[in-house]
Structure formats: C-alpha cells, structure tokens
Amino acid sequence: MSAQKVIVNTSIRTMDPEQPWASALAIEDGVIVAIGDADAVRDVCDGTTEVIDAHGWHLTPGLVDGHQHLFFGAEFGQGPSFDRVDTLSEVREVLAAERRRVGPGEWIVGYAFEYAALEGATFHHSLINEAAGDGPVFIYSLDVHTGFVNDHALRLAGVTGSREFDDGSFIVVDDNGSPTGELREMQAILAVLSHRPEPTDDERLDWYAEAIAAQNSVGITGIHQMNADGTTPGILTALEDSGRLGLRVHVHYFVDPSLDEETLTELLRSRDIHGRRWQGDGAKFMIDGVIDTGTAWLEEPDTHGDGGDPMWPDPQLYRATIRRFDAAGFRLTTHAIGDRAVREVLDTYETLPAGPRLHRIEHIETVPDATVSRFKKLGVTASMQPIHLRWLTPDLSDPWSTRLGQPRCNHVMPSGDLSADGALVVLGSDWPVAPYDPRLGFLSAQLRRAPDRPAHGPIGRSRPLTGLETLAGYTVNAAQSTGDGHHSGKLRVGYRADLVAWGADPALTNPVDVVDLPVHLTMVDGDIVHQSA
C-alpha cells in the first residue's frame, strides 16, 4: 500500500537522537512510514499519494500542553475575561459593559481576575455591586482557586455566612460573620456557581470543538486534561464520534477528599476506558491551594501567617487514596505549590511500589534545592507552567511575592533547575489560568518573564530553559510522562503523524520573536486539523 501523504521541501527537527534531521516524510493510516530525504520517501509513493510542498517550512513533533482544563476554558470563554485588567476602575468598566451586553437579570460569569487588580484592598462585594447592575455576577480568579461574587449572587445562592467543607474550602466572612463575596477553593465556589442555569449539551460541545480548533491553530496536537470526572468519557466520545476531537487527550480524573466510596469505586474502574484519541488512565489530586490566598502548604508561614494546612484535611487519607489508585494502575499526579506540599507528595510517592508508570507533581512554585534534587532520584516528573511567571515582578511587589516573602521567592518555578538536575520536565499552560498558546510559553521558559512585559528582567534566580529543552518539554518529555514514548513525541518511522509546520525552528528562534512565529500546518494522525491561508 502506498503512502497517503508526503511532505517535502522542509526542514524536520525529529527529536529523535538516532536521526535528528530530515527533509521529507511519508504518512499512511496516521503513522509515519518513511522519513529522510526525498529519495527515502519516494519508494512508498505512487500516483495516489498527496504531495505537500512545505516551501521550506520547519517541522517538529506536535506540541502537547501538559496541564490544561479544556472544558473549563471553553466554558469560561463565553464570559468576559479580566486578563490584564489591572485596576478596580477597569474591572468595573468591564462588568458594566458586560451587563449592558447580556441585559438585566442574567448571570455574568467572568474569569482571569488578577489579585493585583484589587490594588491592595480586601475584596468585598460592595466594590463591584454597582457596576454589576441588576443580576448575579461570579468572577473566577486568575488561578481558578477563588471566586468573587456580588451581593445578588450571594442572595440567589442563599449564602449568609460561613460553612464547613470537606476539601479545605471556605467562604470569607467579615467580623460580623457576613459573607464578603470571596469564595476560596472549589466547594465554596460551587456553593454559588451551582445556582447558574446550565447550558445545553449541544452548546457545550460546540464550545469545546471551537476551543480545540483554536488550539490546533497554534500547534497543539494533544493535552493532559486535569479536571476530569465521570462525565468526561461521554463528552470525549461525543466529540470523537462527530469528528471534532482534533487533538489527543490524556484524561486525569480529579480526586478530592469529598468523594464518597461509590464515586471512588467508579473512578477506579474507569482506567481502561478510552477512545481512539483519548485515554483515561490518569488521576489528579490536589494537596494544597495557591500562594496568593494563603492556601498553599508551606514549611513556614507566609507573611500573613497562613500556609500551615493542606487541602486534604487528613493527609493520611490522601496517602491511602494515592495507594489505591496506584494499585489500580493509574498514573498519578498531584497539585503541589508550596514547599511543604511538594515535600509531602514526594515522601508519599517514595512509599509506592516500583513500577513502569511515571508519577508527577504539578506546579512546584517554590522549593529549595534539596527538594529539586529528589525528582530525578525518585523518577518523578515535574509538570511546569513557565507562563505563570507573567504575574510576577522582579521587584517582588506582586501579590504572590509579597505573600510568600523572601528568600523563598528566589526558588520560584524552577523549571530550568529541575531540568539541569536531570528530572523529566513537562511543560503546559494550565489554561484557562493562563493563555494556551505554547509560543508564549517558549518565551517565558527561556526569558523567565511575561511575554507582554518586556521591561521585566528574569524572575527569581532559577536557571532558564534552553529552546531545545522547551521544545522537549512539549514533545518527547510529554510523551514519555504518559507512557507514550514508543509511538509519540518524535518524528520517526512507526510513530504517530502528529506534527506542526512552523515558519522557523522554534527551538532556535529568538524567544522575543517566537511569539509571532507562523504556524502553517498542524496534523493529528496525519489529518490536517489546521492550515494557514
């Protein structure tokens, strides 16, 4: 049988050390069947083969976003973004404009609210009530760990004071016990947001398909989905059956301490559920929250005296549940931001039986050198999001830095230190927390600053990643971390034809210029899922 497609007249960075470079490749049934020069692929072609002249484009393996919340992001995108809305005055302008757009009585659900926009104030719903107008308002913080609501939303949800939650969530109240409108962590958030009218299944599927296509347009061919539940397989099946799942999805079911035994048992039985482009063999835990609100688990208190408690109130229950999912054959990952959280997760993983699966930790925002050196030794993958540096400032005046305090800020998001020490580093965005465009991640990984803050110097003292390390974090490392290194992450014979054609080699392009690097073509399984005009 002849190849269905060949790509010629191109420079191919294969990420395969046995054949680092090529200038042509051939694809049959979604798999690379020949790679090398034009002569090497000619033997697998005939008159039916589609020839794609790349006009000197630069090919790499397709990029995998190693940490993402696809469905959240697609749904959030239906409301107003507060990304880079820097002042309370601007926040009110965005809210007022959205109220005029949707009309009275309708829900406004925004996202990406920056803590710095409070300008040092403590949030109270009175700050936004007038601008919010007649109707409920809910705004996710930039990290999706806090919700800010107006008084209308509190009344609608019947929230009149504090409540007890199983996962360490809490409703912030004032000195009189009245809710301020700030909701910290997911169960507190859902106490209000669950009262919003639900969109239809068809509306959701359309939103998800649009988000997938948008990600294909910037070179993304796969994601590690980090907040799956029992509905996720059905959603992915519906997208795949309708021909709209234009990327690969590695599903991580979200496991928190509030889950009852029936739900846990159902999740434990779901490891082998899969589709052609998705696999549900991952489980995600969250041992702490975030620095900015004092919910990260720290070795020493932050500057407000917070940071002493994990998100799993009973750490022994976390360890026992980790062991259950490991025994069931799941790949494990844990959200751990504070130094104590990272240490405790490494301690827990160290007690697990040795096996072929690579477990991992997400975020790792502040850790000392002694903790960095444990990752390689234990075979634990570091899942990092360099784009999160976009909210930090070199003078440490941002909310994250002032809350954490010196000298721990020196150890911020040490992607390069982990890589230099030999740890497997996977890169991602955490979208919708940060933009998913991996070109922005390429800049932040190498320059350790926000793409849109050119005046900022490097944040912290950690080593930057090189361009090649960054590309590896989105390709070969991502594949290795999910056990797919034998058929993904490289361009070589027998591997999946997931690839991107760029205007230049992203590993060699100046980081300042990579954010504008053209993406000409994206393929998944040899199918063209994006092609520039």
Side-chain angles (χ1 to χ4, degrees), residues 80-86 90-91 94-95 110-114 139:
S81 172
F82 289 82
D83 187 43
R84 294 311 198 209
V85 177
D86 296 328
E90 292 173 308
V91 168
V94 173
L95 278 177
Y111 68 104
F113 185 97
E114 301 196 18
I139 310 173

Side-chain angles (χ1 to χ4, degrees), residues 268 285 315-330 332 347-349 351-353 357:
L268 285 163
F285 298 73
Q316 290 300 329
L317 178 61
Y318 162 77
R319 298 182 187 109
T321 310
I322 281 281
R323 287 193 290 271
R324 290 182 68 183
F325 275 82
D326 177 66
F330 281 82
L332 308 176
D347 289 348
T348 300
Y349 288 173
T351 68
L352 299 176
R357 296 180 306 280

